[in-house]
Amino acid sequence: MSSKPNGSLVERRNRRTTDIDRLATLEMLTLINEEDKQVTDAVSACLPEIARLVDNASATLNRAGRVVIIGAGASGQAAIQTAQGFAPDTRHGVIGVVAGGINANAQERDAAAANYERGVADLQAINFSHDDMLVALSVSGKTPWTWGALRHAWSLGARIALVCRGHDSEAAQLADIVLAPDSGAEVVSGFSEPKARLAQQQILNMLATGLAIRTGRVFSNLRVDVQATNVHWAERQITLVMAATQCSREQAKSALESCDHHCRTAILMLLTGLDAWRARDLLTENNDHLRIALQEAKTHLANV
């Protein structure tokens, strides 16, 4: 077998880093850092598509559908981490699926990633339907497992978004929204594609943050869906209520205690003067969206 690099590898080589193995350590790291800065610019060029992704995903959740983020290998790990980090509770519709399953070892995940039918079966196992939205992560756009999942979601008429490296991938033909930041050639060819992964992670960060904002988990720039599961998070709740309402620590603690430590209820109580029961009911009527509930309370009080 010839050891000569094939054409695709030659095309992926980064001309700016051909002498990176000759550089001093600081020069080497400076060059890597300069290459990483290109990733942010590449993602910036995709902002209109990312906005469509967030808006479609938010609409899906508001219709009681699920946003299912999938991937194989490192992409699957990123999918799982994004879903797990989206919210402190489990009462939400953001789900992560990795080829082979979350508890599989590396060999099992590699085998699953190469299995087209397994991609179909894994979506069927979670009862994926046309009411859900699929967000597929695939740097190459050619992973058989991901391709199977995409084909299954497409056959159901579900909304599909694909985060990949190129619009010309076969998988892109099945997606309604394609996010393909041109992050350029990697610093070192064949080294786990860190620039492409960084671009993928930046998009996932914007998706998770955007969804948290659009679904009412954020008030101003404060995350207000925090739960008092331990002493640390109970203290975090107090700090959030104080920051959102400019109240004292004693007032924040009292409000939280009166509403069973539901952070958004405590904030609404202090900003409107409502009691715990009415504030909680108003939030429930507005899907726990604090900003909307606050506006409705102010409108009602203005008309009294």
Side-chain angles (χ1 to χ4, degrees):
M1 181 179 292
S2 172
S3 61
K4 182 179 180 180
N6 60 33
S8 61
L9 178 58
V10 172
E11 291 170 5
R12 289 199 300 267
R13 289 189 66 186
N14 191 323
R15 296 180 180 179
R16 297 184 67 242
T17 62
T18 53
D19 291 324
I20 196 169
D21 60 330
R22 300 180 180 183
L23 299 179
T25 301
L26 180 57
E27 292 175 311
M28 173 188 72
L29 297 177
T30 298
L31 184 53
I32 293 172
N33 182 246
E34 289 173 353
E35 288 292 312
D36 285 347
K37 289 178 181 177
Q38 296 178 9
V39 173
T40 299
D41 291 337
V43 172
S44 294
C46 297
L47 283 175
E49 289 78 19
I50 299 172
R52 288 184 60 207
L53 170 63
V54 172
D55 286 342
N56 277 268
S58 176
T60 299
L61 293 180
N62 288 334
R63 294 194 304 266
R66 297 171 297 175
V67 175
V68 181
I69 309 172
I70 68 163
S75 292
Q77 292 281 20
I80 295 294
Q81 290 170 3
T82 299
Q84 290 179 339
F86 170 68
D89 59 78
T90 57
R91 294 177 289 106
H92 63 79
V94 180
I95 298 172
V97 180
V98 58
I102 193 170
N103 296 317
N105 60 38
Q107 185 176 3
E108 292 169 336
R109 289 185 178 180
D110 286 345
N115 190 327
Y116 175 97
E117 295 298 333
R118 181 71 179 271
V120 176
D122 284 348
L123 280 196
Q124 291 175 331
I126 62 170
N127 297 315
F128 186 91
S129 76
H130 69 279
D131 294 322
D132 300 321
M133 179 176 181
L134 188 72
V135 180
L137 311 177
S138 177
V139 172
S140 68
K142 299 178 180 179
T143 307
W145 180 88
T146 306
W147 180 254
L150 282 164
R151 289 284 298 182
H152 180 65
W154 178 81
S155 72
L156 296 173
R159 182 73 64 180
I160 298 172
L162 173 67
V163 182
C164 61
R165 187 164 51 192
H167 285 86
D168 56 350
S169 71
E170 293 181 3
Q173 300 173 23
L174 298 177
D176 303 288
I177 304 170
V178 179
L179 302 101
D182 183 9
S183 55
E186 297 292 345
V187 173
V188 177
S189 297
F191 185 63
S192 70
E193 301 171 308
K195 287 172 66 179
R197 300 293 178 194
L198 180 58
Q200 182 186 89
Q201 189 59 57
Q202 288 187 10
I203 291 170
L204 288 174
N205 290 344
M206 282 190 274
L207 172 61
T209 304
L211 277 180
I213 294 169
R214 287 288 172 260
T215 55
R217 293 177 177 274
V218 174
F219 178 72
S220 182
N221 61 351
L222 301 170
R223 191 74 192 253
V224 292
D225 61 351
V226 172
Q227 296 181 322
T229 53
N230 55 41
V231 173
H232 169 77
W233 287 110
E235 283 296 318
R236 179 63 175 165
Q237 276 195 336
I238 294 170
T239 301
L240 283 169
V241 173
M242 291 171 63
T245 66
Q246 302 300 304
C247 72
S248 68
R249 177 180 175 84
E250 291 71 23
Q251 288 173 313
K253 286 183 65 177
S254 177
L256 284 164
E257 289 170 0
S258 69
C259 64
D260 197 25
H261 294 273
H262 190 263
C263 197
R264 281 171 279 194
T265 300
I267 294 171
L268 186 59
M269 290 169 58
L270 290 166
L271 290 177
T272 63
L274 295 173
D275 61 34
W277 291 104
R278 180 57 187 136
R280 189 71 192 95
D281 287 345
L282 189 57
L283 279 166
T284 301
E285 292 167 8
N286 290 282
N287 297 316
D288 269 347
H289 200 300
L290 178 55
R291 180 70 71 180
I292 297 174
L294 178 61
Q295 183 59 48
E296 184 172 323
K298 288 181 176 179
T299 300
H300 174 74
L301 292 171
N303 293 330
V304 173

